[in-house]
Amino acid sequence: MWGLSVALGSIPEMDTDSALLKGLTQAQRDAVTRKDGALLVLAGPGSGKTTVVTRRIALLLEQGVPPWSILALTFTNKAAGEMRSRVQTIVGTHEARGLTIATFHAFAARQLRAMGDRIGAPPDFTIFDAADQKSAAKQAVVDAGMDASNWPPASVLAAIGRAKQALRSPREIETEAGDFYTKSMARIYTAYQRILERSHAVDFDDLLRLLAVALRDDSDLRDHLGGRYRYLMVDEYQDTNHAQFIIATAIAQAHGNICVVGDPDQSIYAWRGADIGNILDFESQYVGAVAISLGRNFRSTARIVEASAGLISQNESHRARDLHTELGDGEQPVLIATFDEHAEAKEVADRFRRLHDEDGIPWNEMAILYRLNALSRVLEEAFRVAEIPHVVARGTAFYQRKEIKDALAYLRAIRNESDDISIRRIVNVPARGIGSTTLDRIDRFAARHDLTLSDAMRRCGEIESLAKRSVTAVARFINMLDGWRSTLAGSLIEISLAELVARVLDESGLEAMLRARSGEEEVDRIANLEELISAASDRDNMTDDDTEGMAAGTLAERLAAWLESITLVADADMVDPEQGAVTLMTLHAAKGLEFDAVAIIGCEQGILPHARASDDMAQLEEERRLCYVGMTRARLHLYLCRAISRTQRGIQERQAESLFFGELPPDSVRRVEPDDPWGMPATASIDVHPGQPVRHPRFGLGRVLRLGRRPQGATVTVDFVEFGPRTLPAAHASLEPTDGGGSVDF
């Protein structure tokens, strides 16, 4: 590209006697004093990369490089602000004046403001924020003549974002389209850009796209920016996408003075467009480039460094280097196996409680990390019971997530047909042709006749202003609700709560709506809905003691009690202003953070690594990097936890441990296993298994559905011929195995 392989020849270094080098390791000194040419700084976790970047900028200024000729690009405003503040502290505010330290987007916006006519930006453009983009995407779907229910804004914006990051215009997408999806997406992309143009606006991806395309195609612009910014530094280079790569490469073309800092082992954003090849291919792109590895970890103790280094060394993309620390051996990371997800959550809560009470570690120095947001639900409940303050960071508490609130609104509407608020929330989720105009007319009819919304919907055929298709859609919706309500009318428990929830998620179309999309966000949301089924199953398996007498009763009564308990849970406030709170967050969100104690839960095949990586080596390597990032967040204490059985969609299933456990150096970790992996003491006296025909003295004939394990003890769920599914304490189940003779066909 543009002949960018620059032969650098003899490169002078900066003054090695400067006071700015005091306290640096030799590797850090080497990186800081390398003045000209291409430099790759491989910065491992906790290796002081920000110190290197800021000292290097300060030394350039000390050596007489004009501040206006230095450009440092990073990814977050926080990182840019910290870097700028550190430089100003070192050299003084006046001396740093004219220095450009900014995010890629802020730098691009500045160039578009200064040279918009040359770059192709609208005059006096505005930048659409996330809400603006969502509104534009919705309108674009309509303008393109597409069905809004099939093209949710999040999916549309993700697809448009990928196209813009690849610098592809709507026309290019349309020309290359070979299938219905791509052709449709091209139409929506075209309509979306027309909306932006009419509004004299750009979105975040346009900021990078417009500047990158202009730099790619305009040699004069490349010379101009390359001449202005003679020294370029890029932080977190492993996270750059194609547009960002083009911007950095174009500016560096004139002089070859580019310093990139990053760690390929921490590249975990491929799903967001990051290209690990940018950092892996850096030395081949710039002939004569120097690579310096910052291997000393200033964050973690030796056993944590050894374990994480051993794991990441399994990646083919890993570059061998010496990762070490001088903070002492420390405690071995602990690999913990528990009976199920409830025992897993309790184990973490107990260990964190001891660290707080006995070692004095504040709550805000502890974190629990997980691959999927859905895993937070059981943790939140366990920490609430243990009275440990906790917050869900960079995310939403389980019962406050949109898809969960949608599902609960369905359940509330089933339980209480006068709940107009819940009905309004779900009436067109997923889209079923009942728009705001239809709902407004039904509202006016209800007010005129003093009816609830449900009753007005049953009489919508009387509303003359409603189109026939709207009447049909409303009738279909209310009949669906009434069908579920009829399930609650009987006195016997014919189905469990978990089965009711599963049925609602299926028949409402909520699950199908999410499964039709393929983004990372949808994967999380589907997992959250499946976890709601498991939450209902947990409620099914509770005893009267656990629920203050509300475990028994009709399905309607148990549904009402469960919904009430969820409302009370959602209103809980457990944050201690003095000690802070334990942080619950995804592994992706944890990057760049550090804590005294870290627990990574759900270390099982299909979760970490995710099931999507089972037959894709590139995805498997990214999952391994994700685990590595999580492990290296810990300073002193690290726990990697797995459940031997985990409830999925209300059914407890045996789980295989993460293959990453077997890749950890055995001498650097310690294993903790339960004595009895299934924890089923009842099986010693009754020999039952899923599918086994059994007889109960009260409920009669049935067939075992599943064996369970709860903190209160083992359980057996049996589908009885006369009474339906019942979950019984295994130790007192009084089940007699039978040969099935004479029984009804289950």
Side-chain angles (χ1 to χ4, degrees):
M1 182 183 296
W2 311 320
L4 286 175
S5 294
V6 182
L8 301 176
S10 176
I11 304 298
E13 294 183 346
M14 290 187 277
D15 180 12
T16 57
D17 295 326
S18 172
L20 292 171
L21 306 180
K22 185 177 180 180
L24 300 182
T25 66
Q26 186 57 51
Q28 289 176 323
R29 288 172 63 96
D30 292 343
V32 168
T33 56
R34 192 79 182 181
K35 181 180 181 182
D36 295 312
L39 174 63
L40 169 62
V41 180
L42 294 167
S47 61
K49 70 179 180 65
T50 305
T51 297
V52 168
V53 174
T54 54
R55 296 280 186 96
R56 188 171 189 272
I57 293 172
L59 192 58
L60 284 171
L61 294 173
E62 185 180 86
Q63 298 297 311
V65 174
W68 50 262
S69 67
I70 299 174
L71 171 63
L73 297 174
T74 186
F75 278 80
T76 68
N77 289 314
K78 180 181 177 182
E82 180 182 356
M83 200 178 295
R84 189 181 305 109
S85 176
R86 285 205 198 183
V87 172
Q88 290 173 344
T89 299
I90 295 171
V91 304
T93 303
H94 178 76
E95 288 73 9
R97 187 173 300 165
L99 185 68
T100 302
I101 301 177
T103 64
F104 271 96
H105 288 89
F107 174 73
R110 184 182 306 179
Q111 303 311 312
L112 264 62
R113 292 287 183 203
M115 300 179 287
D117 54 342
R118 185 170 182 174
I119 293 176
D124 300 322
F125 65 87
T126 58
I127 302 173
F128 271 12
D129 63 15
D132 297 328
Q133 289 177 245
K134 183 177 180 180
S135 297
K138 287 181 177 179
Q139 186 60 48
V141 171
V142 174
D143 292 351
M146 310 301 293
D147 184 349
S149 63
N150 294 327
W151 298 91
S155 298
V156 166
L157 291 171
I160 292 175
R162 287 192 294 271
K164 291 185 176 183
Q165 290 165 15
L167 311 185
R168 301 175 72 196
S169 67
R171 183 179 297 277
E172 288 172 322
I173 298 291
E174 186 175 14
T175 300
E176 299 169 11
D179 55 74
F180 173 78
Y181 172 84
T182 308
K183 290 178 180 178
S184 301
M185 193 64 246
R187 290 168 58 189
I188 296 172
Y189 183 9
T190 300
Y192 177 80
Q193 286 304 108
R194 285 176 182 157
I195 292 171
L196 293 180
E197 290 168 6
R198 286 198 304 268
S199 304
H200 284 201
V202 296
D203 63 15
F204 294 121
D205 288 313
D206 275 332
L207 293 173
L208 301 181
R209 179 182 68 90
L210 290 170
L211 179 58
V213 169
L215 284 168
R216 182 193 65 188
D217 299 341
D218 187 339
S219 60
D220 290 338
L221 183 60
R222 289 199 300 274
D223 291 341
H224 170 70
L225 290 183
R228 162 71 187 275
Y229 300 109
R230 302 291 299 175
Y231 291 91
L232 171 63
M233 275 165 278
V234 183
D235 191 20
E236 302 287 6
Y237 195 63
Q238 77 280 349
D239 293 335
T240 52
N241 60 31
H242 181 63
Q244 290 159 334
F245 167 79
I246 292 294
I247 292 170
T249 303
I251 293 173
Q253 182 190 8
H255 44 70
N257 296 330
I258 177 172
C259 169
V260 301
V261 183
D263 183 3
D265 292 337
Q266 296 187 69
S267 178
I268 59 174
Y269 296 125
W271 55 277
R272 239 167 39 185
D275 184 355
I276 192 175
N278 293 345
I279 192 168
L280 293 178
D281 299 337
F282 183 83
E283 290 167 279
S284 62
Q285 181 188 8
Y286 294 93
V287 177
V290 172
I292 297 174
S293 178
L294 306 182
R296 179 176 170 184
N297 187 310
F298 293 87
R299 174 189 301 155
S300 307
T301 51
R303 295 292 177 81
I304 294 174
V305 172
E306 291 169 9
S308 57
L311 173 67
I312 201 61
S313 68
Q314 303 297 315
N315 270 4
E316 290 186 11
S317 62
H318 171 70
R319 180 168 178 162
R321 51 194 162 133
D322 174 32
L323 299 175
H324 61 282
T325 184
E326 296 181 11
L327 298 178
D329 288 346
E331 179 185 277
Q332 287 178 304
V334 186
L335 312 186
I336 301 171
T338 59
F339 296 123
D340 63 9
E341 67 272 23
H342 297 276
E344 177 187 56
K346 186 177 185 303
E347 178 75 17
V348 174
D350 289 347
R351 286 179 179 268
F352 278 17
R353 170 64 71 182
R354 288 196 295 272
L355 290 176
H356 178 267
D357 293 348
E358 299 174 13
D359 296 356
I361 297 178
W363 295 124
N364 58 10
E365 283 295 346
M366 305 183 200
I368 306 175
L369 311 179
Y370 35 79
R371 177 63 178 86
L372 299 171
N373 273 305
L375 297 183
S376 78
R377 197 266 306 180
V378 176
L379 286 168
E380 291 175 56
E381 294 178 359
F383 273 58
R384 195 174 295 109
V385 170
E387 297 184 343
I388 295 176
H390 58 280
V391 293
V392 179
R394 300 193 188 182
T396 307
F398 181 80
Y399 289 111
Q400 295 301 315
R401 292 167 189 161
K402 180 184 182 302
E403 62 278 8
I404 298 300
K405 290 176 75 70
D406 289 341
L408 292 176
Y410 271 100
L411 295 172
R412 290 192 174 99
I414 296 167
R415 178 69 185 97
N416 176 11
E417 63 179 282
S418 298
D419 187 348
D420 288 357
I421 298 298
S422 292
I423 291 174
R424 288 181 198 283
R425 181 182 182 99
I426 62 174
V427 68
N428 208 38
V429 179
R432 50 175 60 91
I434 307 176
S436 57
T437 301
T438 297
L439 201 57
D440 287 344
R441 290 170 180 171
I442 296 174
D443 274 335
R444 288 196 294 270
F445 180 83
R448 189 163 58 250
H449 296 277
D450 194 23
L451 299 172
T452 65
L453 189 58
S454 286
D455 288 338
M457 285 181 168
R458 290 190 180 90
R459 294 173 55 180
C460 65
E462 302 174 29
I463 305 175
E464 296 180 358
S465 59
L466 283 186
K468 183 177 180 179
R469 64 177 179 277
S470 298
V471 172
T472 301
V474 171
R476 188 180 297 116
F477 171 71
I478 205 68
N479 287 339
M480 179 175 65
L481 292 181
D482 286 341
W484 293 326
R485 288 170 184 148
S486 67
T487 304
L488 304 182
S491 59
L492 295 178
I493 304 176
E494 297 180 355
I495 64 172
S496 67
L497 271 177
E499 290 164 329
L500 174 65
V501 175
R503 178 179 164 187
V504 169
L505 295 181
D506 176 35
E507 295 176 4
S508 68
L510 278 177
E511 271 194 306
M513 174 182 69
L514 294 175
R515 292 189 186 280
R517 312 169 192 171
S518 57
E520 184 80 11
E521 182 179 356
E522 282 70 37
V523 170
D524 248 354
R525 290 186 170 185
I526 292 168
N528 287 337
L529 291 181
E530 292 177 340
E531 184 63 21
L532 185 66
I533 300 173
S534 296
S537 177
D538 287 347
R539 187 75 185 191
D540 284 326
N541 292 334
M542 286 183 176
T543 65
D544 284 349
D545 289 340
D546 300 318
T547 58
E548 299 180 347
M550 293 303 295
T554 66
L555 179 59
E557 290 169 340
R558 293 195 298 148
L559 174 61
W562 183 48
L563 292 174
E564 179 181 308
S565 72
I566 288 173
T567 302
L568 295 176
V569 162
D571 290 340
D573 181 10
M574 293 294 295
V575 177
D576 180 346
E578 296 298 322
Q579 287 286 344
V582 175
T583 303
L584 280 58
M585 67 198 316
T586 65
L587 286 158
H588 282 103
K591 188 169 179 290
L593 303 177
E594 56 186 72
F595 304 89
D596 282 349
V598 169
I600 303 176
I601 66 163
C603 296
E604 301 141 32
Q605 287 298 109
I607 298 178
L608 182 66
H610 193 276
R612 292 186 301 176
S614 59
D615 57 355
D616 187 318
M617 187 56 66
Q619 287 199 35
L620 179 61
E621 291 213 349
E622 178 139 339
E623 293 290 308
R624 191 177 285 111
R625 291 194 292 270
L626 193 57
C627 186
Y628 172 75
V629 165
M631 293 175 67
T632 55
R633 301 309 94 194
R635 299 190 192 103
L636 303 173
H637 307 278
L638 175 61
Y639 311 109
L640 292 96
C641 309
R642 76 177 185 96
I644 293 173
S645 63
R646 187 175 295 275
T647 308
Q648 300 186 7
R649 293 188 65 87
I651 299 175
Q652 193 173 43
E653 297 180 348
R654 185 74 178 246
Q655 299 292 104
E657 77 172 22
S658 171
L659 67 87
F660 299 155
F661 274 21
E663 296 175 346
L664 297 169
D667 293 341
S668 66
V669 297
R670 177 168 63 90
R671 282 183 176 262
V672 174
E673 301 277 351
D675 295 333
D676 174 4
W678 278 101
M680 297 293 289
T683 58
S685 58
I686 56 170
D687 182 18
V688 297
H689 55 80
Q692 169 74 50
V694 294
R695 183 187 302 275
H696 186 272
R698 176 183 172 189
F699 300 122
L701 291 172
R703 187 182 296 277
V704 175
L705 289 178
R706 55 185 173 271
L707 307 179
R709 176 65 171 84
R710 294 289 175 265
Q712 304 93 331
T715 60
V716 181
T717 301
V718 181
D719 185 9
F720 292 103
V721 174
E722 187 175 353
F723 293 91
R726 292 271 182 160
T727 299
L728 310 170
H732 310 288
S734 301
L735 295 175
E736 176 188 351
T738 72
D739 60 5
S743 65
V744 178
D745 185 13
F746 293 103

Short mmCIF file of all heavy atoms in Angstrom, two decimals, residues 189-218:
data_model
loop_
_atom_site.label_atom_id
_atom_site.label_comp_id
_atom_site.label_asym_id
_atom_site.label_seq_id
_atom_site.Cartn_x
_atom_site.Cartn_y
_atom_site.Cartn_z
N TYR A 189 -28.76 0.83 3.84
CA TYR A 189 -27.55 1.64 3.98
C TYR A 189 -27.67 2.91 3.13
O TYR A 189 -27.36 4.03 3.59
CB TYR A 189 -26.35 0.79 3.56
CG TYR A 189 -24.98 1.42 3.70
CD1 TYR A 189 -24.76 2.63 4.34
CD2 TYR A 189 -23.86 0.76 3.16
CE1 TYR A 189 -23.48 3.18 4.46
CE2 TYR A 189 -22.58 1.29 3.28
CZ TYR A 189 -22.40 2.50 3.91
OH TYR A 189 -21.14 3.03 4.02
N THR A 190 -28.15 2.76 1.91
CA THR A 190 -28.34 3.92 1.03
C THR A 190 -29.34 4.90 1.63
O THR A 190 -29.10 6.12 1.66
CB THR A 190 -28.84 3.46 -0.35
OG1 THR A 190 -27.87 2.58 -0.93
CG2 THR A 190 -29.07 4.64 -1.28
N ALA A 191 -30.46 4.38 2.12
CA ALA A 191 -31.48 5.24 2.73
C ALA A 191 -30.93 5.93 3.98
O ALA A 191 -31.22 7.10 4.24
CB ALA A 191 -32.71 4.41 3.08
N TYR A 192 -30.15 5.20 4.76
CA TYR A 192 -29.56 5.76 5.99
C TYR A 192 -28.63 6.92 5.66
O TYR A 192 -28.69 7.98 6.32
CB TYR A 192 -28.81 4.64 6.71
CG TYR A 192 -28.08 5.06 7.97
CD1 TYR A 192 -28.76 5.20 9.18
CD2 TYR A 192 -26.70 5.27 7.96
CE1 TYR A 192 -28.09 5.56 10.34
CE2 TYR A 192 -26.02 5.64 9.11
CZ TYR A 192 -26.72 5.78 10.30
OH TYR A 192 -26.05 6.13 11.44
N GLN A 193 -27.80 6.75 4.63
CA GLN A 193 -26.88 7.83 4.26
C GLN A 193 -27.63 9.05 3.72
O GLN A 193 -27.22 10.20 3.94
CB GLN A 193 -25.87 7.34 3.22
CG GLN A 193 -24.80 6.42 3.79
CD GLN A 193 -24.03 7.08 4.93
OE1 GLN A 193 -24.20 6.69 6.09
NE2 GLN A 193 -23.18 8.04 4.62
N ARG A 194 -28.76 8.83 3.05
CA ARG A 194 -29.56 9.96 2.56
C ARG A 194 -30.11 10.76 3.73
O ARG A 194 -30.17 12.01 3.68
CB ARG A 194 -30.70 9.45 1.68
CG ARG A 194 -30.25 9.00 0.30
CD ARG A 194 -31.40 8.41 -0.48
NE ARG A 194 -30.99 7.94 -1.79
CZ ARG A 194 -31.64 7.02 -2.49
NH1 ARG A 194 -32.75 6.48 -1.99
NH2 ARG A 194 -31.20 6.64 -3.67
N ILE A 195 -30.50 10.06 4.79
CA ILE A 195 -31.01 10.75 5.98
C ILE A 195 -29.91 11.61 6.60
O ILE A 195 -30.13 12.76 6.98
CB ILE A 195 -31.54 9.73 7.01
CG1 ILE A 195 -32.80 9.04 6.47
CG2 ILE A 195 -31.82 10.39 8.36
CD1 ILE A 195 -33.28 7.87 7.29
N LEU A 196 -28.69 11.05 6.69
CA LEU A 196 -27.57 11.81 7.22
C LEU A 196 -27.28 13.03 6.35
O LEU A 196 -27.06 14.14 6.87
CB LEU A 196 -26.32 10.93 7.30
CG LEU A 196 -26.32 9.77 8.31
CD1 LEU A 196 -25.00 9.02 8.25
CD2 LEU A 196 -26.55 10.28 9.72
N GLU A 197 -27.28 12.84 5.04
CA GLU A 197 -26.97 13.94 4.13
C GLU A 197 -28.01 15.05 4.23
O GLU A 197 -27.68 16.24 4.24
CB GLU A 197 -26.88 13.41 2.70
CG GLU A 197 -25.65 12.53 2.46
CD GLU A 197 -25.72 11.77 1.15
OE1 GLU A 197 -26.68 12.02 0.38
OE2 GLU A 197 -24.85 10.92 0.91
N ARG A 198 -29.29 14.66 4.30
CA ARG A 198 -30.35 15.67 4.44
C ARG A 198 -30.21 16.45 5.74
O ARG A 198 -30.58 17.62 5.81
CB ARG A 198 -31.74 15.00 4.39
CG ARG A 198 -32.17 14.52 3.02
CD ARG A 198 -33.68 14.30 2.97
NE ARG A 198 -34.14 13.36 3.99
CZ ARG A 198 -34.27 12.05 3.79
NH1 ARG A 198 -33.97 11.52 2.60
NH2 ARG A 198 -34.70 11.26 4.74
N SER A 199 -29.69 15.80 6.75
CA SER A 199 -29.54 16.42 8.07
C SER A 199 -28.20 17.13 8.23
O SER A 199 -27.92 17.66 9.30
CB SER A 199 -29.67 15.35 9.16
OG SER A 199 -30.89 14.64 9.05
N HIS A 200 -27.36 17.11 7.18
CA HIS A 200 -26.00 17.65 7.27
C HIS A 200 -25.29 17.04 8.48
O HIS A 200 -24.73 17.74 9.32
CB HIS A 200 -26.01 19.17 7.40
CG HIS A 200 -26.29 19.86 6.10
ND1 HIS A 200 -25.94 21.17 5.86
CD2 HIS A 200 -26.89 19.43 4.96
CE1 HIS A 200 -26.31 21.51 4.64
NE2 HIS A 200 -26.89 20.46 4.07
N ALA A 201 -25.34 15.71 8.55
CA ALA A 201 -24.82 15.00 9.72
C ALA A 201 -23.89 13.87 9.30
O ALA A 201 -23.91 13.41 8.15
CB ALA A 201 -25.96 14.45 10.56
N VAL A 202 -23.07 13.44 10.26
CA VAL A 202 -22.26 12.23 10.11
C VAL A 202 -22.43 11.41 11.38
O VAL A 202 -22.80 11.95 12.44
CB VAL A 202 -20.76 12.56 9.91
CG1 VAL A 202 -20.53 13.32 8.62
CG2 VAL A 202 -20.20 13.33 11.09
N ASP A 203 -22.19 10.11 11.29
CA ASP A 203 -22.19 9.30 12.50
C ASP A 203 -20.75 9.00 12.90
O ASP A 203 -19.80 9.45 12.25
CB ASP A 203 -23.03 8.03 12.32
CG ASP A 203 -22.49 7.10 11.26
OD1 ASP A 203 -21.32 7.26 10.84
OD2 ASP A 203 -23.23 6.19 10.83
N PHE A 204 -20.56 8.24 13.97
CA PHE A 204 -19.21 8.00 14.48
C PHE A 204 -18.33 7.28 13.46
O PHE A 204 -17.14 7.59 13.31
CB PHE A 204 -19.27 7.19 15.78
CG PHE A 204 -19.91 7.94 16.92
CD1 PHE A 204 -21.04 7.45 17.55
CD2 PHE A 204 -19.38 9.14 17.36
CE1 PHE A 204 -21.63 8.14 18.60
CE2 PHE A 204 -19.97 9.84 18.41
CZ PHE A 204 -21.10 9.34 19.03
N ASP A 205 -18.92 6.31 12.77
CA ASP A 205 -18.13 5.57 11.78
C ASP A 205 -17.77 6.43 10.58
O ASP A 205 -16.72 6.25 9.96
CB ASP A 205 -18.89 4.31 11.33
CG ASP A 205 -18.94 3.25 12.40
OD1 ASP A 205 -17.88 2.97 13.00
OD2 ASP A 205 -20.02 2.70 12.65
N ASP A 206 -18.65 7.40 10.26
CA ASP A 206 -18.35 8.31 9.15
C ASP A 206 -17.12 9.17 9.44
O ASP A 206 -16.36 9.51 8.53
CB ASP A 206 -19.54 9.24 8.88
CG ASP A 206 -20.57 8.62 7.96
OD1 ASP A 206 -20.17 7.78 7.14
OD2 ASP A 206 -21.75 8.97 8.08
N LEU A 207 -16.94 9.55 10.69
CA LEU A 207 -15.77 10.36 11.04
C LEU A 207 -14.49 9.69 10.57
O LEU A 207 -13.62 10.31 9.95
CB LEU A 207 -15.72 10.59 12.56
CG LEU A 207 -16.83 11.44 13.17
CD1 LEU A 207 -16.74 11.41 14.69
CD2 LEU A 207 -16.76 12.87 12.66
N LEU A 208 -14.37 8.40 10.87
CA LEU A 208 -13.18 7.65 10.47
C LEU A 208 -13.18 7.35 8.97
O LEU A 208 -12.16 7.47 8.30
CB LEU A 208 -13.10 6.34 11.25
CG LEU A 208 -13.05 6.45 12.77
CD1 LEU A 208 -12.94 5.06 13.40
CD2 LEU A 208 -11.88 7.31 13.22
N ARG A 209 -14.35 6.97 8.45
CA ARG A 209 -14.44 6.59 7.04
C ARG A 209 -14.06 7.74 6.11
O ARG A 209 -13.26 7.57 5.17
CB ARG A 209 -15.85 6.09 6.71
CG ARG A 209 -16.05 5.69 5.25
CD ARG A 209 -17.48 5.25 5.00
NE ARG A 209 -18.42 6.34 5.12
CZ ARG A 209 -18.80 7.14 4.12
NH1 ARG A 209 -18.27 6.98 2.92
NH2 ARG A 209 -19.69 8.09 4.32
N LEU A 210 -14.63 8.90 6.36
CA LEU A 210 -14.38 10.04 5.48
C LEU A 210 -12.91 10.44 5.48
O LEU A 210 -12.32 10.70 4.43
CB LEU A 210 -15.26 11.22 5.89
CG LEU A 210 -16.76 11.06 5.63
CD1 LEU A 210 -17.55 12.18 6.29
CD2 LEU A 210 -17.05 11.02 4.13
N LEU A 211 -12.30 10.47 6.68
CA LEU A 211 -10.89 10.84 6.74
C LEU A 211 -10.01 9.76 6.12
O LEU A 211 -9.07 10.06 5.37
CB LEU A 211 -10.47 11.07 8.19
CG LEU A 211 -9.00 11.46 8.40
CD1 LEU A 211 -8.64 12.72 7.62
CD2 LEU A 211 -8.70 11.64 9.89
N ALA A 212 -10.33 8.50 6.38
CA ALA A 212 -9.52 7.40 5.84
C ALA A 212 -9.58 7.37 4.31
O ALA A 212 -8.55 7.20 3.64
CB ALA A 212 -9.98 6.06 6.42
N VAL A 213 -10.76 7.51 3.75
CA VAL A 213 -10.90 7.50 2.29
C VAL A 213 -10.16 8.67 1.67
O VAL A 213 -9.47 8.54 0.64
CB VAL A 213 -12.39 7.53 1.89
CG1 VAL A 213 -12.55 7.78 0.41
CG2 VAL A 213 -13.07 6.21 2.28
N ALA A 214 -10.28 9.85 2.30
CA ALA A 214 -9.58 11.02 1.77
C ALA A 214 -8.06 10.83 1.82
O ALA A 214 -7.35 11.15 0.85
CB ALA A 214 -9.98 12.26 2.57
N LEU A 215 -7.55 10.30 2.90
CA LEU A 215 -6.11 10.05 3.00
C LEU A 215 -5.66 8.98 2.01
O LEU A 215 -4.57 9.06 1.45
CB LEU A 215 -5.76 9.62 4.44
CG LEU A 215 -5.72 10.74 5.47
CD1 LEU A 215 -5.65 10.16 6.88
CD2 LEU A 215 -4.53 11.67 5.22
N ARG A 216 -6.49 8.00 1.81
CA ARG A 216 -6.15 6.93 0.86
C ARG A 216 -6.07 7.44 -0.56
O ARG A 216 -5.17 7.05 -1.33
CB ARG A 216 -7.21 5.82 0.96
CG ARG A 216 -6.97 4.62 0.06
CD ARG A 216 -8.22 3.75 0.00
NE ARG A 216 -9.34 4.44 -0.65
CZ ARG A 216 -10.58 3.96 -0.70
NH1 ARG A 216 -10.87 2.82 -0.11
NH2 ARG A 216 -11.54 4.65 -1.31
N ASP A 217 -6.98 8.36 -0.92
CA ASP A 217 -7.11 8.77 -2.32
C ASP A 217 -6.44 10.10 -2.66
O ASP A 217 -6.28 10.42 -3.83
CB ASP A 217 -8.60 8.86 -2.69
CG ASP A 217 -9.32 7.52 -2.54
OD1 ASP A 217 -8.63 6.48 -2.52
OD2 ASP A 217 -10.56 7.53 -2.42
N ASP A 218 -6.07 10.89 -1.66
CA ASP A 218 -5.55 12.24 -1.91
C ASP A 218 -4.11 12.34 -1.41
O ASP A 218 -3.86 12.48 -0.22
CB ASP A 218 -6.46 13.25 -1.18
CG ASP A 218 -6.10 14.70 -1.51
OD1 ASP A 218 -4.96 14.95 -1.95
OD2 ASP A 218 -6.96 15.58 -1.29
#
